[in-house]
Amino acid sequence: MSRRTKVSKRPTPPDAVYNSRLVSMLIKRMMRSGKLSVSSNLVYKAFELVGERTGEAPLEIFDRAIRNATPLVEVKARRVGGATYQVPMEVRSDRGVALALRWLVGYSRSRPGRGMVNKLANEIMDAANETGATIRKREETHRMAEANKAFAHYRY
């Protein structure tokens, strides 16, 4: 990364079906080996499945899932005088969304069962209902930040 200038953030273009930047970010996060069409098909089929099972708009459920899974604080390692402290830091909104998407995709991949469409749909519905591994990860992150609140004065 260049030390001279700040790298400008490129805006994420919205996806074709739902016209949502968040869905586009999910598709990119799901992608493996550059196979964008495979990834987008998986995401759209999972959204259809979520819509069938819940009877609500799948985009609303997905937005609720991401909102529920987005962490507010996290811990970062900070080295002070030879000791490493886990210092709680507030999470910027774009990083929070990125973490939520990463956790959602990761935990849906590690779910037992067959078919990525089913696993992703189940994880989205669980996150929207504030259950599941993604929400557990967020709660664990918040717990760690709460436990290390004493080191908050080491913030950058």
Side-chain angles (χ1 to χ4, degrees):
M1 197 161 118
S2 173
R3 292 174 182 229
R4 295 179 188 203
T5 59
K6 286 283 182 193
V7 178
S8 62
K9 194 140 174 72
R10 281 184 241 131
T12 308
D15 74 304
V17 176
Y18 293 101
N19 200 25
S20 166
R21 294 191 194 301
L22 211 52
V23 175
S24 178
M25 289 168 69
L26 175 68
I27 290 171
K28 299 280 171 67
R29 189 81 62 222
M30 285 282 300
M31 185 168 49
R32 281 194 167 169
S33 304
K35 299 194 174 191
L36 185 68
S37 60
V38 172
S39 172
S40 56
N41 284 336
L42 284 173
V43 170
Y44 293 142
K45 286 177 183 172
F47 274 31
E48 286 176 20
L49 199 59
V50 166
E52 287 173 13
R53 288 183 183 170
T54 59
E56 296 179 47
L59 194 59
E60 290 175 15
I61 293 172
F62 177 63
D63 284 341
R64 190 175 348 138
I66 293 298
R67 247 183 291 122
N68 290 344
T70 301
L72 302 173
V73 287
E74 66 178 343
V75 291
K76 285 191 176 180
R78 174 99 163 103
R79 206 167 153 83
V80 178
T84 305
Y85 298 109
Q86 295 289 326
V87 180
M89 308 277 281
E90 289 183 16
V91 179
R92 293 187 328 272
S93 62
D94 55 339
R95 175 159 169 78
V97 169
L99 284 171
L101 287 168
R102 186 184 312 161
W103 294 341
L104 191 74
V105 171
Y107 287 118
S108 59
R109 280 196 178 122
S110 65
R111 273 179 97 100
R114 290 190 45 128
M116 190 61 202
V117 172
N118 284 324
K119 296 197 283 188
L120 180 63
N122 288 336
E123 193 63 38
I124 288 172
M125 288 189 299
D126 283 351
N129 295 330
E130 296 199 35
T131 57
T134 308
I135 301 298
R136 199 164 49 244
K137 176 72 173 174
R138 188 207 59 191
E139 296 299 327
E140 178 186 317
T141 306
H142 282 196
R143 255 196 311 276
M144 279 183 64
E146 185 70 29
N148 291 314
K149 206 182 244 184
F151 306 124
H153 62 281
Y154 288 127
R155 244 181 247 158
Y156 303 133

